[in-house]
C-alpha cells in the first residue's frame, strides 16, 4: 500500500495523494509511476500537455561519453536500456506509437587527434557500456554505414558509430503517456491550472486564479518554472538554483530512412524520425528576448545540418520551433525529496537528456515518496544543488 503521509491535509478540498505540477515528460512519467504505485494522482498543467520543452522536435536519446565513468553515467546507461521495454509496454497499453527506435549515432571525426581520442573512448565503452546482458559499442570507422550520411567532407578522419543511441518522437511520446494515464484509475490531468506557489506547511498548492488544492505529496515538474516554485519555498532568488537555456530546432520531411543513425557533430544534431521526418537542432542560448521565437541562429543550425546531411536540401522544412530547457545549478537533473520539506519532491533540470531518463527518475521519486530507500546519483540530489547555490552566494533561509 502507498505510504503517503496524510497528516495536515487541508479539509474540504480535493486532496490527491500525489499532486504533480507540470505535464511535460517529467510530470507525465511521475504521474504514471505514482499511479502504478497505487496513489491517487492529479496533474496540474498551466497551459496544455507538452506546452514546454517536451513538446519540441528533436527527441535524441544519446549517452554521455564513456570515459571517466561515474554514477550519473551508469544511471543514464541503465535508463537508456530500460526505456525500450517501458516504451513497448506503453505502446501496448495505448495502441499508439511513440516513434522510438534504437538507431545508433554517428559522430564525424574532423582530425587525427579526434580519432585518437575516439579510439580511447572505444576502449572505455567496451568496459562501461554493458548492462543486463547487453553490450553497446563506440566503434571508430573510416566511413559511415550509408553513403552521404554524413557527407564524406564532414569526416576527414573517419566517424564513430555508437550503437546505444536512438530516437523518440517527443510529441508522440507525450501523446502515448497521456493516453496511458487516461486508462489508469484515480488519475486526473487538469490543463489551464497555473500553480502560483506551494505552501508546504498546509500542503496546499495556491493557483493563480485563487484556487487552492491540497495534497499528500507534491512533485514539482514544471520545467524552467520549477526554479521559481522552488525559490518560493525558501531559497532566493530562483536564478541561483537553475536557469533557462533557450534552444531552437527545425523539422524536415522528405525521403529520409527512419532507421538511419543520428548524426551528431559539434553540438548539431540531425535526428531521423518515423514517416520521413528529420529534426535538426539546436541552439543553446543563455540570454534571449523571446523564449519561443526562431531567428537567424536557427538558420545557422540548418546550414550546418545541410553540410552534414546534404539529402536535407531535397526535403521540406515543415516547422521551426523554440523552447526553454531547464538547467539546474549543479548542471545535472535536480531530483527527489526537498531536504527541508518532506512533502515536496523536485523533478527538473534534465537539460538536454530528459527524454532518455525521465522514466527512471520518476521511478526513484515515487519510490522515495512511498518510503523506499532509493539510490540517486549524488549529483542529482536536491541537497547537492542547494550546496552549489550556497557556494555561489545564495542564502538558504527557511520560512
Ligand atoms: C531545442 C531543444 C532540443 C532538445 N533536444 C533534446 C533531445 O534531443 N533529447 C532530450 O532528451 N532532451 C532534449 N531537450 C531537452 C528536453 O526537451 C527537456 O529537458 C525536457 O523536455 C524537460 O521536460 P520537463 O518535463 O522537465 O519540462 P517541460 O517539458 O518544460 O514541462 C514543464 C511543464 O510545466 C508547465 N508549467 C510551468 N509552470 C507551471 C505552473 N506554475 N503551474 C502548472 N504548470 C506549469 C509548463 O506549461 C510545461 O508544460 C531539448 C530541449 C530543447 C529546447
Amino acid at each position: 500500500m502507498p505510504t503517503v503521509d496524510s497528516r495536515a491535509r487541508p479539509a474540504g478540498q480535493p486532496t490527491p495523494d500525489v499532486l504533480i505540477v507540470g505535464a511535460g515528460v517529467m510530470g507525465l512519467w511521475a504521474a504514471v509511476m505514482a499511479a502504478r504505485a497505487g496513489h491517487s494522482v492529479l496533474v496540474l498543467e498551466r497551459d496544455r500537455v507538452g506546452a514546454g520543452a517536451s513538446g519540441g522536435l528533436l527527441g535524441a536519446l544519446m549517452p554521455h561519453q564513456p570515459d571517466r565513468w561515474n554514477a550519473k553515467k551508469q544511471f543514464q546507461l541503465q535508463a537508456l536500456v530500460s526505456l525500450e521495454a517501458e516504451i513497448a509496454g506503453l505502446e501496448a497499453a495505448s495502441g499508439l506509437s511513440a516513434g522510438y527506435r534504437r538507431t545508433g549515432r554517428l559522430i564525424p571525426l574532423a582530425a587525427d587527434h579526434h580519432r585518437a581520442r575516439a579510439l580511447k573512448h572505444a576502449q572505455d565503452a567496451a568496459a562501461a557500456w554493458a548492462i543486463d546482458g547487453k553490450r553497446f559499442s563506440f566503434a571508430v570507422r573510416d566511413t559511415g554505414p550509408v553513403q552521404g550520411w554524413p557527407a564524406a567532407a564532414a569526416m576527414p578522419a573517419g566517424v564513430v558509430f555508437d550503437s546505444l543511441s536512438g530516437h523518440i518522437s517527443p510529441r508522440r511520446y507525450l501523446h502515448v503517456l497521456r493516453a496511458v494515464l487516461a486508462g489508469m484509475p484515480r488519475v486526473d490531468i487538469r490543463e489551464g491550472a497555473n500553480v502560483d506557489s506551494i505552501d508546504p506547511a498546509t500542503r496546499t498548492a495556491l493557483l493563480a486564479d485563487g484556487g487552492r488544492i491540497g495534497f499528500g505529496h507534491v512533485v514539482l515538474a514544471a520545467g524552467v518554472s520549477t526554479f521559481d516554485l522552488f525559490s518560493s519555498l525558501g531559497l532566493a532568488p530562483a536564478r541561483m538554483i537553475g536557469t533557462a537555456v533557450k534552444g531552437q530546432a527545425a523539422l524536415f520531411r522528405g525521403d529520409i530512412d527512419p532507421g538511419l543513425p543520428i548524426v551528431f557533430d559539434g553540438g548539431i544534431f540531425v535526428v531521423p524520425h518515423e514517416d520521413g521526418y528529420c529534426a535538426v537542432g539546436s541552439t543553446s542560448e543563455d540570454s534571449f528576448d523571446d523564449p519561443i521565437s526562431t531567428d537567424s541562429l536557427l538558420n545557422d543550425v540548418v546550414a550546418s545540418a545541410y553540410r552534414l546531411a546534404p539529402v536535407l536540401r531535397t526535403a521540406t522544412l515543415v516547422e521551426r520551433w523554440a523552447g526553454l530547457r531547464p538547467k539546474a545549478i549543479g548542471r545535472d537533473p535536480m531530483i527527489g525529496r526537498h531536504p527541508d520539506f518532506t512533502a515536496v519532491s523536485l523533478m527538473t533540470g534534465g537539460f538536454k537528456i530528459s527524454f532518455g531518463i525521465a522514466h527512471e527518475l520518476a521511478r526513484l521519486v515515487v519510490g522515495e515518496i512511498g518510503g523506499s530507500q532509493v539510490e540517486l546519483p549524488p549529483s542529482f540530489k536536491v541537497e547537492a544543488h542547494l550546496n552549489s547555490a550556497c557556494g555561489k552566494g545564495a542564502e538558504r533561509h527557511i520560512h
Side-chain angles (χ1 to χ4, degrees):
M1 282 299 287
T3 60
V4 173
D5 189 346
S6 61
R7 284 170 299 168
R9 290 202 211 181
Q13 300 169 21
T15 55
D17 295 333
V18 179
L19 179 70
I20 294 162
V21 184
V25 69
M26 294 287 197
L28 294 180
W29 261 115
V32 168
M33 291 295 179
R36 281 185 191 166
H39 300 300
S40 61
V41 177
L42 174 60
V43 181
L44 297 179
E45 164 54 49
R46 177 173 63 190
D47 188 344
R48 60 189 158 72
V49 171
S54 305
L57 304 173
L58 226 54
L61 305 169
M62 304 200 317
H64 293 296
Q65 294 285 52
D67 61 331
R68 290 176 292 157
W69 202 245
N70 59 25
K72 168 179 88 171
K73 294 186 177 189
Q74 182 67 25
F75 178 88
Q76 193 211 27
L77 170 69
Q78 197 255 322
L80 287 171
V81 172
S82 67
L83 184 62
E84 190 165 336
E86 284 289 1
I87 295 296
L90 295 176
E91 290 182 337
S94 65
L96 299 169
S97 165
Y100 170 88
R101 203 188 277 240
R102 191 186 300 286
T103 54
R105 168 182 57 163
L106 293 162
I107 309 170
L109 298 170
D112 287 345
H113 67 277
H114 293 162
R115 188 179 176 107
R117 193 171 54 215
L119 286 165
K120 285 199 187 111
H121 286 168
Q123 290 175 355
D124 295 327
W129 284 5
I131 191 166
D132 298 340
K134 297 189 173 110
R135 287 196 162 275
F136 302 92
S137 60
F138 189 96
V140 177
R141 304 171 171 211
D142 292 330
T143 60
V146 175
Q147 202 184 4
W149 190 269
M155 46 176 189
V159 65
V160 168
F161 177 72
D162 105 50
S163 62
L164 177 53
S165 297
H167 69 238
I168 193 159
S169 160
R171 293 172 187 171
R172 290 185 187 185
Y173 189 15
L174 297 191
H175 201 53
V176 167
L177 285 166
R178 184 181 196 155
V180 166
L181 285 165
M184 298 179 96
R186 302 201 304 150
V187 177
D188 192 15
I189 299 178
R190 203 174 298 170
E191 293 172 300
N194 187 2
V195 176
D196 207 39
S197 62
I198 299 294
D199 180 353
T202 60
R203 298 191 186 199
T204 307
L206 309 168
L207 274 59
D209 66 3
R212 301 163 71 85
I213 295 184
F215 53 79
H217 197 101
V218 67
V219 178
L220 303 181
V224 295
S225 301
T226 310
F227 305 129
D228 294 317
L229 292 168
F230 186 98
S231 74
S232 73
L233 293 168
L235 180 99
R239 66 184 155 72
M240 299 302 287
I241 199 73
T243 53
V245 179
K246 180 176 174 179
Q248 303 183 41
L251 188 66
F252 288 82
R253 193 168 198 193
D255 186 15
I256 297 166
D257 179 352
L260 284 171
I262 294 170
V263 177
F264 176 63
D265 188 30
I268 304 296
F269 303 73
V270 181
V271 188
H273 282 284
E274 308 304 305
D275 304 324
Y277 287 103
C278 184
V280 307
S282 317
T283 63
S284 275
E285 302 162 57
D286 291 322
S287 65
F288 46 85
D289 294 326
D290 180 352
I292 57 166
S293 66
T294 62
D295 54 34
S296 64
L297 294 176
L298 181 57
N299 299 347
D300 297 343
V301 169
V302 168
S304 298
Y306 283 153
R307 277 194 293 278
L308 282 173
V311 66
L312 286 173
R313 293 180 189 278
T314 64
T316 308
L317 202 167
V318 292
E319 185 175 346
R320 294 163 65 94
W321 180 90
L324 297 181
R325 312 172 178 94
K327 182 168 129 191
I329 184 158
R331 301 186 65 87
D332 287 342
M334 184 164 68
I335 304 300
R337 201 184 284 273
H338 192 297
D340 302 318
F341 305 109
T342 55
V344 180
S345 292
L346 280 297
M347 210 179 149
T348 190
F351 195 35
K352 297 187 176 180
I353 59 167
S354 298
F355 284 103
I357 59 174
H359 61 298
E360 290 295 347
L361 296 175
R363 200 188 310 280
L364 292 182
V365 166
V366 170
E368 195 180 47
I369 292 171
S372 302
Q373 284 285 348
V374 300
E375 279 212 26
L376 273 170
S379 59
F380 287 16
K381 290 183 181 169
V382 180
E383 189 77 50
H385 292 279
L386 279 167
N387 290 340
S388 293
C390 291
K392 291 188 180 164
E395 189 187 340
R396 188 167 170 191
H397 51 90
I398 309 305
H399 299 299

